Amino acid sequence: MSASEKAIVLSKIKYRDNDLIVNCYTQHRGLSSYLIRGAFKSKRSGSIAYYQLLSQIEIVEIYKPNQSLHYIKEVKSSFIYNTLHTNVIKSSIVLFLSEVLANVLKEEEQNNLLFDYLETALQWLDSEPNYANFHLLFLLKLTKYLGFYPDTDHVETGVFNLQSGYFEPSKTHIYAVSAENNILLKELLGMNFDALNTVKLQAEQRQAFLNMLMQYYELHLGYFRKPKSLQIFNQVFR
């Protein structure tokens, strides 16, 4: 079956001498993997550029039910980034977030709200000159689509518990967050990306909050593992 599909590239790996396996999050079928035959042959080398991490592409796919690998007949960009793959800092964000997304997106089913979120957020990052805290809000908002967004009851007076996902009356649990992270979490909840420039953080604060988010993901997704790129990513934002 051949069909047109929008997709976001999550990961890629060289297969044999000239082929490429690309994992994508697609608009209509969720997670999907493709075998790109001859991707590294000189006459087709230009096609590799379409499969940069988090690229937004439109493909004509050859989908075969009950098979783990499908095929791409045609590919073109659905949105062309201006800075995401050329700006060194943004490229570091792309590397880190692509690793997180490849880790957490497991469902092979349609989720239009999640696809639209990823598409829109990445386009915002591409166009925005002030993006130091983007990854924090991106990961926090992503939990809404993964099913463990913080419960905002008692948000004004409570202390957030990473394990329960609730704001509790006092800091009595080992998974209660620090005072500083608690304040920042309350500030980010409900915030949109355009308001991020109002959040001023030192590198240490940003790193502490990111580490907290990684622990939150680990507690709520049993299969989640901290990205290998986390340490390098934190060094970039020092």
Side-chain angles (χ1 to χ4, degrees), residues 170-236:
S170 59
K171 187 176 180 178
T172 58
H173 197 280
I174 60 170
Y175 291 114
V177 304
S178 69
E180 193 168 42
N181 281 339
N182 201 54
I183 292 170
L184 179 54
L185 176 60
K186 292 179 180 181
E187 187 175 2
L188 292 178
L189 285 171
M191 178 178 285
N192 59 41
F193 287 108
D194 288 334
L196 263 179
N197 61 354
T198 64
V199 180
K200 308 300 180 184
L201 298 176
Q202 299 294 323
E204 293 77 11
Q205 295 172 298
R206 192 178 296 117
Q207 183 172 333
F209 193 81
L210 178 57
N211 288 337
M212 182 204 78
L213 284 175
M214 291 294 93
Q215 186 180 19
Y216 189 44
Y217 272 68
E218 285 182 302
L219 286 169
H220 291 268
L221 297 175
Y223 52 81
F224 182 78
R225 297 295 179 266
K226 287 184 180 179
K228 295 178 181 178
S229 58
L230 179 61
Q231 185 176 359
I232 297 174
F233 181 70
N234 281 330
Q235 291 175 353
V236 170

Side-chain angles (χ1 to χ4, degrees), residues 66-224:
N66 303 319
Q67 292 194 12
S68 59
L69 284 176
H70 311 291
Y71 300 91
I72 292 178
K73 185 178 179 181
E74 299 175 23
V75 58
K76 64 180 181 180
S77 296
S78 62
F79 182 87
I80 299 175
Y81 295 131
N82 291 312
T83 65
L84 224 58
H85 295 130
T86 56
N87 179 295
V88 174
I89 306 298
K90 288 187 179 182
S91 294
S92 299
I93 296 174
V94 166
L95 178 63
F96 172 69
L97 292 182
S98 65
E99 191 176 354
V100 172
L101 290 170
N103 194 331
V104 302
L105 300 182
K106 304 293 186 182
E107 298 298 324
E108 297 180 4
E109 60 184 34
Q110 184 173 2
N111 188 333
N112 281 331
L113 290 177
L114 175 53
F115 186 88
D116 290 346
Y117 169 68
L118 298 177
E119 190 177 51
T120 303
L122 292 171
Q123 291 177 18
W124 184 93
L125 175 60
D126 180 62
S127 64
E128 180 58 39
N130 301 310
Y131 53 85
N133 300 316
F134 169 82
H135 57 291
L136 303 181
L137 186 57
F138 177 89
L139 291 171
L140 180 59
K141 285 181 173 291
L142 182 62
T143 64
K144 184 180 299 184
Y145 304 95
L146 299 177
F148 56 100
Y149 190 72
D151 187 290
T152 55
D153 289 345
H154 314 296
V155 64
E156 295 299 328
T157 58
V159 177
F160 190 66
N161 183 317
L162 291 171
Q163 187 177 57
S164 69
Y166 289 86
F167 284 90
E168 299 178 344
S170 59
K171 187 176 180 178
T172 58
H173 197 280
I174 60 170
Y175 291 114
V177 304
S178 69
E180 193 168 42
N181 281 339
N182 201 54
I183 292 170
L184 179 54
L185 176 60
K186 292 179 180 181
E187 187 175 2
L188 292 178
L189 285 171
M191 178 178 285
N192 59 41
F193 287 108
D194 288 334
L196 263 179
N197 61 354
T198 64
V199 180
K200 308 300 180 184
L201 298 176
Q202 299 294 323
E204 293 77 11
Q205 295 172 298
R206 192 178 296 117
Q207 183 172 333
F209 193 81
L210 178 57
N211 288 337
M212 182 204 78
L213 284 175
M214 291 294 93
Q215 186 180 19
Y216 189 44
Y217 272 68
E218 285 182 302
L219 286 169
H220 291 268
L221 297 175
Y223 52 81
F224 182 78

Side-chain angles (χ1 to χ4, degrees), residues 12-29:
K12 59 183 178 180
I13 186 171
K14 189 175 182 180
Y15 179 67
R16 295 176 177 169
D17 291 334
N18 297 305
D19 301 339
L20 190 69
I21 293 177
V22 180
N23 294 317
C24 297
Y25 193 75
T26 67
Q27 184 176 26
H28 296 115
R29 289 192 293 98

